Amino acid sequence: MSDTNGWATPGGPPPQQQPYGWSPPPQPRWNPDGYGRPGVIPLRPLNVGEILDGAFNTVRRNPAVMLGVSLVVVLITQFVGYVVSLPLLDDLNRATEASNRVLTEQQALDMAVDLLGSSAQVAVITGLVTALGSSFLDGFLTVVVGKAILGRKPTFGEALKEATPRLLPLLGMTLLYTLMIFVGLLLCIVPGVYLAVVFGLATPALVLEKAGIGTAFKRSSLLVRNAFWRVLGVLLLAIVISWVINQVVSLPFSLAGDFNGFTSMFSGEVPEYTAWGLALTTLGTVIAATFTAPFSAGVRALVYIDQRMRKEGMDLQLARAAAAPVGPPAGSTDPTPPSGIPMGQAAEPEETPKPLGAIEAAEREKATEAGQTPEEGKPQQDPEPPRPS
């Protein structure tokens, strides 16, 4: 009997008795990690769970660098927001007190104008400070994620050295990206969501590929093309997870900071906004954002890497970069940046050797029965040059 036990391929030749002493050629094995797993993700196209798990693993493997820098940046931006928001408390208290009094039309208009003016001033200042802090933080954290994919743990100085030259381009791109989304949301919301997804991978492209602002936007749109709903789903899921974490962490601080407002719901008294309450609310935001900012940056960077592995065969390039020395030798022209992420279009992955088909197997069997080795029955050919490693 044959070794197949009757399980022949449908439509193929019937199973035959193999000659004594002959073993079939080895079959290529499937590796669940693709080209390996040097860092936080396997080097192959990722599923949603692996992207989220990779973001969490990056934070766990680099807690001092990611959480420490995130805490400092968020603390500075929130402190500035707290200071500029203090004058707004008086306007809010006057507005709440006036809600129990009868006002003339002119008084109500003046109070509304004052409140809107103070709120706009606070929003502009805090928005600019937040954009600056977010630009630096996104660039810094993206560098750390890029190195974590290759199994490397950068120090604060290494990540800062690579992220600092990208700060001004990141700031300009962040302001332009925010403006486009804001205008798009005003136009029936849908254009804003579309632009947020299409250009959502511009930050990793700008940092890891050392691209300009226009090139980063173009690269993001090319990577998202034909994968819009997948990218939208992953980014939206990351936003939901960040929102849940933010609510769980900051809710106790918000309730404690707005204690008077919370109790006034049952007593009927007018709530009072205080500097102490604002400070507690700000503290809760700082703690929550310290954890959610690295996670969000990690998800965006990993979605970018995933799309490049799917479209450009970047998994092979990453495997080579992970096996290469940490830094290129002196005088090297290797285009790989310090992060280890290859820039631009990646080369097509090499084809893996295919198993022998039915025709090749029959020729090998005929040559064996004739007393020849498979190589004797074939014309001599020039030896194949060695493949590059």
Side-chain angles (χ1 to χ4, degrees), residues 1 66 84-85 102 118 121 126 146 163 176 182 189-190 201 212-213 219 234 247 265 306 311 317 350 354 357:
M1 291 183 64
M66 300 192 76
V84 299
S85 299
V102 178
S118 302
Q121 182 179 1
T126 56
L176 183 59
F182 177 75
I189 300 178
V190 175
L201 307 182
I213 296 178
R219 288 284 294 151
V234 176
Q247 294 299 314
M265 296 174 56
D306 175 58
K311 292 176 175 289
Q317 299 295 314
E350 298 179 357
K354 298 181 180 180

Side-chain angles (χ1 to χ4, degrees), residues 355-365:
L356 294 177
I359 297 179
E360 289 81 355
E363 292 178 354
R364 180 183 291 271
E365 181 180 353

Side-chain angles (χ1 to χ4, degrees), residues 254-274:
S254 300
L255 292 178
D258 193 28
F259 181 75
N260 291 331
F262 180 73
T263 56
S264 65
M265 296 174 56
F266 304 96
S267 62
E269 298 177 356
V270 177
E272 180 182 2
Y273 299 94
T274 62

Side-chain angles (χ1 to χ4, degrees), residues 4-128:
T4 58
N5 295 325
W7 289 97
T9 304
Q16 300 178 359
Q17 178 72 29
Q18 301 296 345
Y20 178 78
W22 181 85
S23 60
Q27 300 293 326
R29 295 183 177 181
W30 177 74
N31 186 355
D33 289 334
Y35 288 99
R37 186 172 185 145
V40 295
I41 59 171
L43 299 183
R44 56 167 173 76
L46 308 173
N47 56 43
V48 178
E50 289 169 336
I51 292 176
L52 300 178
D53 184 65
F56 283 118
N57 283 337
T58 305
V59 178
R60 284 197 296 264
R61 294 189 181 188
N62 304 272
V65 175
M66 300 192 76
L67 296 181
V69 174
S70 179
L71 174 61
V72 173
V73 174
V74 173
L75 187 61
I76 294 175
T77 56
Q78 291 297 319
F79 177 76
V80 173
Y82 169 78
V83 172
V84 299
S85 299
L86 288 176
L88 186 61
L89 297 178
D90 294 335
D91 294 335
L92 291 174
N93 287 325
R94 284 195 297 267
T96 54
E97 292 175 0
S99 61
N100 292 334
R101 295 186 287 109
V102 178
L103 300 178
T104 63
E105 183 177 350
Q106 185 63 36
Q107 289 176 333
L109 180 60
D110 293 341
M111 186 172 296
V113 170
D114 293 340
L115 184 59
L116 289 176
S118 302
S119 301
Q121 182 179 1
V122 172
V124 170
I125 297 176
T126 56
L128 291 176

Side-chain angles (χ1 to χ4, degrees), residues 297-317:
V299 169
R300 283 194 299 271
L302 292 179
V303 171
Y304 159 83
I305 296 295
D306 175 58
Q307 289 302 115
R308 286 197 62 179
M309 288 192 294
R310 292 174 180 272
K311 292 176 175 289
E312 301 172 2
M314 191 184 181
D315 42 3
L316 177 58
Q317 299 295 314

Side-chain angles (χ1 to χ4, degrees), residues 317-377:
Q317 299 295 314
L318 290 175
R320 291 173 176 173
V326 176
S332 174
T333 58
D334 186 5
T336 302
S339 63
I341 304 299
M343 297 186 295
Q345 295 287 337
E348 293 294 333
E350 298 179 357
E351 294 184 359
T352 56
K354 298 181 180 180
L356 294 177
I359 297 179
E360 289 81 355
E363 292 178 354
R364 180 183 291 271
E365 181 180 353
K366 183 184 297 184
T368 303
E369 293 176 354
Q372 299 176 341
T373 62
E375 287 75 12
E376 293 177 352

Side-chain angles (χ1 to χ4, degrees), residues 216-239:
F217 281 132
K218 182 179 179 181
R219 288 284 294 151
S220 178
S221 63
L222 290 176
L223 292 175
V224 176
R225 182 180 300 173
N226 299 327
F228 177 85
W229 295 109
R230 170 181 169 81
V231 176
L232 172 62
V234 176
L235 296 181
L236 185 60
L237 182 58
I239 292 175

